[in-house]
Amino acid sequence: EGMALPPRVFSPEKICMDWQQRQRPGAGLFNLGNTCYINVILQCLTYTPPLANYLLSQEHSQSCQQQGFCMMCTMEAHVRRILRSSASAILPRAVLINLKSIGEEFEYGRQENAYEFLRCTLSAMHRACLSGRPGVDASSQETTVVHQIFGGFMKYRVTCLSCQAVADSYEAFLDVCLDIRVRASSLITVLEDCVTPKQLDQKEGFRCRKCKKKAAASKKVTVHHAPRVLTLCLERADQRTGAKISKFVEYPEYLDLRPYMSDAAGEPLLCSLYAIVVHSGDTCLEGHFLCYTKASNGLWYKMNDEFVDNCDMHTVLGQQAYLLFYAR
């Protein structure tokens, strides 16, 4: 509601949220020196059911017209190789060779941020989906398979505290960053704080269209359209000091998004945790990334570069999570 539907680049009817084949987890990934941030994101994307199903279908590569490096074709080959390899670990060579094509800021051999690599990887996949489609407008660009899986819309409602007039705006997103400095005992309290209306300072320059003057106002942020896969980043770098925020934030195996939606009175909108990324280390500029993923056989595994080991749900929920992946 409230938004016109743009012409679609990719049909959502093709998205399958359940694994189409069930098997043990695939291979681990070798670390060539500070490449753990790459490994964890590749593993989390490999075990994202709707994305893996699409990549395994090879639909993109069969019609790809992109010249040179294509992130979608690279991910297709990577996921097939990971899930079908008999080796205990492999090297993500194509990704490492084309690191600069994924994100210009990445330097091979230097410790980088896993969240930034995730954003750049999804962006590169999105661009690959649009290759060979000149003239596609911005709204249609938001219907690629990447946006159909990871994308949602936020609603921003500003209410004039003088006349109660409201102004709504919408913004597409592929992930959500959460400030865990305040009320951060659990993910639920963080999300509740996010959707609580906050008063805007008059210095921010809000001008009411009805009052025709600057006035005090409140702003409320809600999820207007929920993604099929919700990616949450618990910001662990203090924006003021740069120090790492090491507090434990409790997060559930199953998350109901309904209380944080624009229409909070509808049916429950349940999401299931299927992957997390953890950063170990005293500062955000050094340390190590590892991840925990749920394989297609329904079991959880700790993936620490080339090592893939069984683990239980209790272990998964007890981590100092940095990234959380939930699927509807």
Side-chain angles (χ1 to χ4, degrees), residues 304-319:
N304 188 0
D305 290 329
E306 67 264 38
F307 302 105
V308 177
D309 300 303
N310 293 74
C311 67
D312 57 23
M313 196 68 232
H314 177 74
T315 300
V316 173
L317 295 179
Q319 300 302 311

